[in-house]
Amino acid sequence: MGGSGVRPRGKGIEIDFRYRGMRCRELIKLPPTKANLKYAANLRAALLTEIARGTFQYQEHFPDSSRCALFGGVRHTRQTVAQALDSWLTGAKATVEDSTWNEYRKVINRHLTPGLGHIPIRDLTTATVKAWVATLPQSGKTINNILTPLRQTTADAFGDSMLERDPMIRVPSMKFRTREPDPFTPDEIRRILTRLSGQALAFYQFAIWTGLRPSEQIALRWEDVDLELGVVRVRRARVRRQEKDTKTIAGERTVRLLAPALEALTAQKEITYLSGKEVFLNPRTGRPWVSEKALREVDWKHALRAAKVAYRTPYQCRHTYASMMLAAGENPMWVARQMGHGTVQVMYKNYARWMPEAAPDAGRKADQMVTRWSQE
């Protein structure tokens, strides 16, 4: 019953036809009664006519079909933005670092789901997102971080043919001013270090003279140290109690130790070498540091206050190292490798004003060269 290309299948009716050289079978959710089978046969005849005329649109007849994506149409979806974000977050778990995944989860739960989660993702528009963004009190950089999971989610939905267009493409990133490095001066370094002792002194003396990221330094192990060669191998970092690979591929590196850094390690070896894996331990607990944020509360703030030095985070020790090396005339590429930057461009972008070439007499060598040429 139902004729060629139409047949009962379970509690529905299957329509069988060919489109663009492919055999297609689609299920209509109607009971396979005599009347419904006749309706299905008429529907099949109508879509065959549309195929012959070149006017057939797969998604108009079968919006829930997975073949919509195959034939360039948009699949029907009842997902809300919240559901799409949850699905994306589940998939991201296997592809990003735990700390990054947790940041995504937080901004989804705190901002995106309360603000936009109720909207069907098919109805999400650029104008809606822009209007919502305009209500956010956060800084431009923070807003960009908030929008990252949403950008990824709508891009995936568009790629899966659930959206006709990606509404986030026309939502621009917010402009923000990057904070410039604020390194310590030689006088400030001396004043800070004189206010520290024991493990705290060794830690910050090492930080200032190696440029390691705080997260890398608290994860440094004695197995990574070679005092005879005067190097340490940076292989990992610790963020929010989680050990992970270095921030970038270039971040895994061998750092040459200058004399003050070697002095700090030699002193630290007497305290922690036999205690465990980590080179630097929290002097208050005798246990490994759990995160770089904890550094600020133990000794650091007190030392800066006692030294009467304007407060900066421990991360500025890294900037201090870079500025000192460049001011001393070291090759920017060598400094970049020491710090774990992938390219020298980062050095020029962040530290150009500490390079000798940026001094007021820059160009003097070029003038001398031109003079020599003119005299020849």
Side-chain angles (χ1 to χ4, degrees):
M1 183 180 292
S4 177
V6 175
R7 64 184 61 84
R9 197 180 85 184
K11 295 181 180 181
I13 301 172
E14 182 182 81
I15 296 180
D16 190 331
F17 60 98
R18 295 190 71 82
Y19 179 58
R20 295 185 182 178
M22 296 183 62
R23 185 178 185 183
C24 302
R25 294 172 176 172
E26 296 292 349
L27 186 67
I28 300 176
K29 295 179 181 179
L30 291 174
T33 64
K34 183 176 180 180
N36 287 340
L37 285 167
K38 183 177 180 180
Y39 164 80
N42 291 335
L43 175 62
R44 180 177 182 275
L47 65 86
L48 289 176
T49 300
E50 291 181 15
I51 291 172
R53 292 176 176 174
T55 61
F56 179 69
Q57 297 292 325
Y58 213 100
Q59 70 274 17
E60 291 183 6
H61 291 280
F62 309 108
D64 293 324
S65 174
S66 61
R67 290 184 180 270
C68 288
L70 179 64
F71 296 124
V74 178
R75 294 167 53 194
H76 177 72
T77 178
R78 298 181 178 85
Q79 270 194 333
T80 63
V81 171
Q83 291 169 331
L85 285 166
D86 283 344
S87 178
W88 174 82
L89 188 63
T90 299
K93 182 76 172 176
T95 61
V96 300
E97 296 284 353
D98 287 343
S99 57
T100 302
W101 188 87
N102 279 319
E103 289 301 318
Y104 288 153
R105 178 180 56 81
K106 288 178 183 177
V107 299
I108 288 172
N109 292 339
R110 293 177 183 175
H111 303 287
L112 292 170
T113 296
L116 301 171
H118 62 286
I119 301 173
I121 194 165
R122 289 189 308 163
D123 298 335
L124 186 68
T125 65
T126 299
T128 299
V129 177
K130 285 183 175 180
W132 177 70
V133 167
T135 68
L136 298 177
Q138 285 81 9
S139 67
K141 183 177 181 181
T142 301
I143 290 173
N144 289 341
N145 292 339
I146 290 171
L147 292 178
T148 295
L150 184 60
R151 291 188 190 279
Q152 299 282 353
T153 297
T154 59
D156 284 356
F158 176 70
D160 290 340
S161 297
M162 292 191 294
L163 301 176
E164 290 185 6
R165 61 185 61 86
D166 184 349
M168 294 302 295
I169 286 196
R170 297 181 63 188
V171 178
S173 295
M174 301 291 289
K175 295 181 180 179
F176 62 92
R177 179 173 293 180
T178 303
R179 290 183 180 179
E180 289 191 357
D182 189 11
F184 298 101
T185 67
D187 179 61
E188 288 177 326
I189 293 171
R190 286 190 290 270
R191 284 155 54 192
I192 293 170
L193 294 182
T194 57
R195 297 292 179 171
L196 295 167
S197 61
Q199 291 196 66
L201 172 60
F203 186 96
Y204 290 110
Q205 182 171 315
F206 183 84
I208 289 168
W209 290 101
T210 60
L212 266 65
R213 297 177 179 91
S215 59
E216 296 170 341
Q217 188 169 335
I218 63 176
L220 188 68
R221 299 175 184 171
W222 281 111
E223 67 189 50
D224 305 321
V225 176
D226 191 326
L227 290 175
E228 290 187 8
L229 289 180
V231 298
V232 294
R233 297 174 182 85
V234 181
R235 300 174 177 174
R236 66 192 70 80
R238 183 177 296 129
V239 180
R240 295 184 180 86
R241 301 176 185 269
Q242 296 290 326
E243 292 250 332
K244 64 175 190 175
D245 293 335
T246 54
K247 187 176 180 180
T248 62
I249 294 175
E252 187 169 327
R253 62 201 187 276
T254 298
V255 176
R256 178 187 170 189
L257 301 176
L258 301 177
L262 276 170
E263 179 184 308
L265 279 185
T266 301
Q268 189 68 8
K269 186 176 182 180
E270 299 296 323
I271 303 172
T272 64
Y273 186 76
L274 298 178
S275 300
K277 297 179 180 179
E278 284 80 5
V279 174
F280 298 101
L281 302 176
N282 185 328
R284 303 285 176 85
T285 65
R287 303 182 66 181
W289 292 97
V290 295
S291 73
E292 59 181 279
K293 288 185 178 180
L295 294 171
R296 306 176 190 180
E297 306 303 325
V298 180
D299 294 307
W300 180 249
K301 288 183 177 179
H302 171 74
L304 266 63
R305 282 196 300 267
K308 297 183 180 179
V309 172
Y311 182 79
R312 278 96 100 194
T313 66
Y315 200 94
Q316 292 297 333
C317 293
R318 175 170 167 83
H319 294 319
T320 299
Y321 172 81
S323 64
M324 288 192 302
M325 296 303 100
L326 294 170
E330 290 291 353
N331 188 311
M333 180 58 75
W334 178 82
V335 181
R337 288 197 298 265
Q338 286 278 107
M339 297 186 68
H341 291 309
T343 66
V344 75
Q345 279 71 25
V346 177
M347 306 304 300
Y348 287 109
K349 177 182 177 182
N350 293 331
Y351 306 107
R353 63 191 176 101
W354 285 283
M355 296 181 185
E357 289 79 2
D361 62 346
R364 180 170 52 83
K365 293 179 180 179
D367 285 337
Q368 292 173 349
M369 179 188 67
V370 172
T371 300
R372 287 196 305 271
W373 282 0
S374 65
Q375 293 174 350
E376 291 178 356

